[in-house]
Amino acid sequence: MTGKFATQVCAQEPGIAETAMADIVHAVLSAGEFALFAEFGQQLQLRSGDYLFHSGQAGGTMYVIVSGSIELDFGEDLVVKTLGPQEFFGELGLLIGDHPRSADARATVDSVVLELGHDQFQRLVDHDPGLVAYFLRRTIMRVVSNEQVLIRQLRRRNHDLEAALDNLYVTTHQLTHTRELVRTDELTGLHNRRGLALYLQECRSTDHGAPQGLLLIDCDQFKQVNDEHGHQAGDRVLQSVANILRSVATEDDRACRLGGDEFCLLLRHADRDSLHHAAEFVLSAVQGLLGRATAHPNICPVSIGACLLEPHTDWSEWYARADNALYQAKRLGGNRLHWSRAATATP
């Protein structure tokens, strides 16, 4: 049948080869086609808002609009099509049979449509096979064109979605980086005072409670390092102290640079022995670096004030007690650990 159709099409439509693709695939029947379809199709009266079919519903008929307009809604963010008189749709249901509809078809105003099932279409083919062959050719080309448009739309949507996800990733990364910069000391990478405050706030909001031990660390003779060897040497000293504290801290602890050459180490879970062990480790690591002869110093002695923490008190009291112990360590010559008086009685 296809060869017969193609021969008659060439005989009846000599200008097809030169017809623009847009004209070939346009879903409007010619006057001759419309008259032929009207002769064999069954008229349906639709009120505004009536549905012919819904997306996903199997169908085996096609439709031609006589009057009014039909809206095809393909869902999601695809373009809604509105068809008018002499335009046709649903032809895949007729040609394939029980084909799932790809859109909702709804009358936007009172309308009249022609419905053609398999039997009506077969009589139409028997009556004028040449005209039907031309219609089928246009229909196939229109289906291909529509699929290509749909593919382009989906590709563009996927591209837009990928771009949006990339932007979201970049924004999230920037926010995370910004948040870390806000709470992190730029020179040492330890938490700064704001990071410490956020850590204490997080402690209060969890079931683990407040930290239990505090070491307050201050560099001895740090001004002398800066004066004699320059600020770059001073920076190296601060970074070395930070590395030592970082190696002592567990995931639950927090090492911070409070400012200048003053540091602290908050231990989430501690008793006198574990806090003493952490302080001795810091002093031992410092002594180990001091024993390495270098042209420019990368460490200096440190003094440490230690105290165990009472959960019902706050940071200001913790700091005051540790700072008093630190002062005593400095007064005794530095390079040592000193406990706050409140902690000495703790077993």
Side-chain angles (χ1 to χ4, degrees), residues 20 24 28 30-31 87 97 119 139 160 166-167 169 188 198 212 230 290 298 305-306 316 323 337 339:
I24 292 178
V28 177
S30 66
E87 292 190 88
D119 292 341
T139 298
D160 293 342
D166 288 342
N167 290 335
Y169 172 79
T188 64
L198 292 172
Q212 297 175 341
L290 284 171
N298 57 9
S316 60
D323 186 55
L337 164 68
W339 284 86

Side-chain angles (χ1 to χ4, degrees), residues 177-252:
H177 182 62
T178 301
R179 183 178 64 179
E180 288 303 313
L181 288 178
V182 167
R183 65 169 64 190
T184 304
D185 175 61
E186 184 177 1
L187 176 64
T188 64
L190 299 183
H191 276 61
N192 54 22
R193 283 185 176 273
R194 178 171 177 79
L196 173 63
L198 292 172
Y199 169 74
L200 294 175
Q201 183 177 352
E202 291 168 1
C203 289
R204 287 193 294 268
S205 63
T206 63
D207 297 332
H208 298 294
Q212 297 175 341
L214 170 62
L215 298 178
L216 196 60
I217 303 103
D218 191 83
C219 296
D220 300 330
Q221 304 164 3
F222 181 72
K223 184 177 183 302
Q224 183 179 343
V225 173
N226 277 333
D227 292 343
E228 295 182 4
H229 301 280
H231 289 283
Q232 286 187 341
D235 289 347
R236 286 195 299 270
V237 168
L238 297 176
Q239 289 167 344
S240 296
V241 174
N243 289 336
I244 293 172
L245 297 181
R246 191 180 290 111
S247 67
V248 177
T250 68
E251 183 179 353
D252 292 331

Side-chain angles (χ1 to χ4, degrees), residues 6 9 24 70 88 131 161 174-175 189 196-197 234 242 269-270 290 298 320:
V9 167
I24 292 178
I70 302 294
F88 60 91
L131 195 60
L161 179 59
Q174 290 174 340
L175 288 174
L196 173 63
H269 307 288
L290 284 171
N298 57 9

Side-chain angles (χ1 to χ4, degrees), residues 210-214 266-267 275 307-311 313 318-319 321:
Q212 297 175 341
L214 170 62
L266 274 167
L267 276 65
L275 190 59
C307 68
L308 292 172
L309 308 179
E310 298 175 1
T313 56
W318 300 343
Y319 180 83
R321 289 170 51 196

Side-chain angles (χ1 to χ4, degrees), residues 1-323:
M1 182 182 291
T2 304
K4 178 181 178 182
F5 283 173
T7 302
Q8 295 201 25
V9 167
C10 292
Q12 295 185 17
E13 302 288 345
I16 288 178
E18 292 78 22
T19 304
M21 178 63 73
D23 293 333
I24 292 178
V25 300
H26 195 45
V28 177
L29 297 178
S30 66
E33 289 171 332
F34 183 77
L36 182 63
F37 277 64
E39 182 178 349
F40 294 94
Q42 177 183 357
Q43 282 199 2
L44 298 178
Q45 304 285 336
L46 300 174
R47 293 183 178 277
S48 177
D50 286 350
Y51 281 87
L52 276 168
F53 51 75
H54 293 280
S55 178
Q57 178 182 337
T61 56
M62 68 167 289
Y63 301 91
V64 179
I65 302 173
V66 178
S67 63
S69 64
I70 302 294
E71 178 183 82
L72 299 180
D73 185 356
F74 295 90
E76 297 184 356
D77 57 352
L78 300 178
V79 176
V80 175
K81 292 184 178 180
T82 302
L83 307 181
Q86 294 188 218
E87 292 190 88
F88 60 91
F89 58 95
E91 62 276 14
L92 283 181
L94 174 65
L95 300 177
I96 298 176
D98 290 331
H99 180 70
R101 304 296 190 181
S102 58
D104 292 337
R106 183 180 66 89
T108 59
V109 296
D110 291 347
S111 305
V112 178
V113 299
L114 297 172
E115 182 180 43
L116 289 97
H118 182 268
D119 292 341
Q120 292 93 342
F121 192 75
Q122 186 60 50
R123 290 199 296 271
L124 187 149
V125 170
D126 295 340
H127 184 79
D128 195 337
L131 195 60
V132 174
Y134 177 54
F135 166 77
L136 289 175
R137 181 184 176 188
R138 291 170 56 209
T139 298
I140 292 172
M141 295 178 71
R142 189 172 76 90
V143 169
V144 172
S145 176
N146 287 342
E147 290 299 320
Q148 291 173 340
V149 170
L150 180 60
I151 290 172
R152 286 195 297 270
Q153 289 177 335
L154 292 175
R155 284 177 176 171
R156 183 166 57 249
R157 186 176 63 180
N158 288 340
H159 178 270
D160 293 342
L161 179 59
E162 289 176 357
L165 290 175
D166 288 342
N167 290 335
L168 180 60
Y169 172 79
V170 171
T171 301
T172 303
H173 177 74
Q174 290 174 340
L175 288 174
T176 301
H177 182 62
T178 301
R179 183 178 64 179
E180 288 303 313
L181 288 178
V182 167
R183 65 169 64 190
T184 304
D185 175 61
E186 184 177 1
L187 176 64
T188 64
L190 299 183
H191 276 61
N192 54 22
R193 283 185 176 273
R194 178 171 177 79
L196 173 63
L198 292 172
Y199 169 74
L200 294 175
Q201 183 177 352
E202 291 168 1
C203 289
R204 287 193 294 268
S205 63
T206 63
D207 297 332
H208 298 294
Q212 297 175 341
L214 170 62
L215 298 178
L216 196 60
I217 303 103
D218 191 83
C219 296
D220 300 330
Q221 304 164 3
F222 181 72
K223 184 177 183 302
Q224 183 179 343
V225 173
N226 277 333
D227 292 343
E228 295 182 4
H229 301 280
H231 289 283
Q232 286 187 341
D235 289 347
R236 286 195 299 270
V237 168
L238 297 176
Q239 289 167 344
S240 296
V241 174
N243 289 336
I244 293 172
L245 297 181
R246 191 180 290 111
S247 67
V248 177
T250 68
E251 183 179 353
D252 292 331
D253 303 333
R254 195 63 80 237
C256 308
R257 181 189 177 196
L258 300 178
D261 60 331
E262 186 178 39
F263 298 82
C264 78
L265 178 62
L266 274 167
L267 276 65
R268 192 65 176 270
H269 307 288
D271 54 21
R272 183 179 176 85
D273 289 340
S274 61
L275 190 59
H276 185 85
H277 177 76
E280 288 295 333
F281 179 91
V282 173
L283 290 173
S284 176
V286 167
Q287 291 301 316
L289 291 177
L290 284 171
R292 300 177 186 177
T294 58
H296 299 285
N298 57 9
I299 195 66
C300 65
V302 298
S303 296
I304 302 177
C307 68
L308 292 172
L309 308 179
E310 298 175 1
H312 62 275
T313 56
D314 58 18
W315 166 254
S316 60
E317 184 170 341
W318 300 343
Y319 180 83
R321 289 170 51 196
D323 186 55

